[in-house]
Amino acid sequence: MTSEKILSAAAELFMERGFDAVSVREIAGKAGVNVALINYHFQSKENLFLSVLEDTVSTSRMKLNNLNNADIPSKEKLLQVIDMYTEKIFTNCRGYHFIQRELADTQRPELVDGITKIINKNSAELRRLLEDGQKNKEFRKEADVDMVNATLFGVMYQATHAVLKKRWIRPGEDDITFKERTRKYLIDLLTGYLIK
């Protein structure tokens, strides 16, 4: 479909260079369509960007929602969340850093607001998972679920950032070993904090 070709081309270009450095004409060229089709399907470059972002994070949201509805212990849900995000972010750190980069640009408040609304849907699913664990007394009632969320994604940002990662990876440690060390650290840290 035309819209899928446009989304794919836009995702590649936006992730590589960011919102400002990519023109609608470039996206059209990469997708093999004319500019009018982009305007027809998405109305604006901003809408196209937000559609790319929604496409990028919606799979994780569905998995979080499925976990929230699963009849398994909260600890198991948390472990699956850590596994999911470790795998996803280490495998596609470009996509994760693309979101962080655009959130940091305060020159376009409307776009930042759109990004925030999209990623807050995922955060709400994670919050629900953590709060359910508190309600069923598997997680400490006084645990700060917002800071758990911030910790998870803060560690992921540091561990996958091209420059910052060099500070944390050990000499001779390959990417797979570092990913596993990060995953294990998050499990130990978050379960140690959340579980009584």
Side-chain angles (χ1 to χ4, degrees):
M1 278 183 77
T2 303
S3 61
E4 289 171 2
K5 282 175 23 181
I6 294 167
L7 279 171
S8 177
E12 192 174 324
L13 291 169
F14 284 143
M15 285 184 202
E16 183 181 305
R17 299 199 332 251
F19 179 83
D20 288 328
V22 175
S23 71
V24 172
R25 189 168 302 288
E26 284 178 278
I27 296 167
K30 186 161 190 67
V33 301
N34 64 44
V35 172
L37 279 174
I38 292 177
N39 291 328
Y40 172 77
H41 286 283
F42 299 98
Q43 291 76 51
S44 69
K45 181 178 162 184
E46 290 80 4
N47 285 344
L48 175 55
F49 179 89
L50 294 172
S51 295
V52 166
L53 178 61
E54 177 62 35
D55 210 41
T56 303
V57 302
S58 63
T59 303
S60 298
R61 186 181 316 128
M62 283 188 341
K63 288 179 182 177
L64 287 168
N65 183 270
N66 290 340
L67 273 175
N68 275 324
N69 296 322
D71 188 23
I72 58 176
S74 294
K75 179 182 178 181
E76 179 57 33
K77 291 178 182 183
L78 177 64
L79 296 177
Q80 287 189 38
V81 166
I82 293 168
D83 285 347
M84 175 184 76
Y85 277 117
T86 302
E87 191 58 39
K88 180 174 182 159
I89 294 172
F90 269 83
T91 302
N92 184 22
C93 58
R94 226 175 73 166
Y96 180 64
H97 290 279
F98 142 75
I99 296 167
Q100 301 306 315
R101 180 179 63 233
E102 298 304 329
L103 273 174
D105 188 346
T106 58
Q107 300 300 310
R108 295 179 314 275
E110 300 84 17
L111 190 63
V112 169
D113 186 52
I115 295 168
T116 302
K117 285 178 182 171
I118 291 169
I119 62 174
N120 280 350
K121 293 177 194 174
N122 288 45
S123 294
E125 288 291 340
L126 181 52
R127 170 186 271 281
R128 183 176 140 213
L129 186 148
L130 297 169
E131 287 176 344
D132 284 351
Q134 288 176 314
K135 286 176 192 165
N136 67 29
K137 298 183 177 13
E138 286 186 64
F139 296 156
R140 292 185 313 118
K141 182 181 179 180
E142 64 278 6
D144 187 332
V145 296
D146 293 322
M147 292 310 291
V148 169
N149 208 329
T151 300
L152 173 63
F153 293 105
V155 168
M156 287 297 182
Y157 180 79
Q158 291 266 328
T160 59
H161 190 279
V163 176
L164 298 174
K165 173 182 174 179
K166 293 175 186 174
R167 297 168 58 193
W168 314 124
I169 198 162
R170 294 174 178 158
E173 188 172 42
D174 63 21
D175 287 341
I176 294 170
T177 306
F178 181 59
K179 176 175 77 171
E180 180 56 28
R181 182 162 64 96
T182 303
R183 186 186 72 79
K184 184 179 181 330
Y185 171 77
L186 284 166
I187 289 170
D188 291 347
L189 180 70
L190 298 181
T191 58
Y193 175 68
L194 286 165
I195 296 174
K196 298 177 182 183

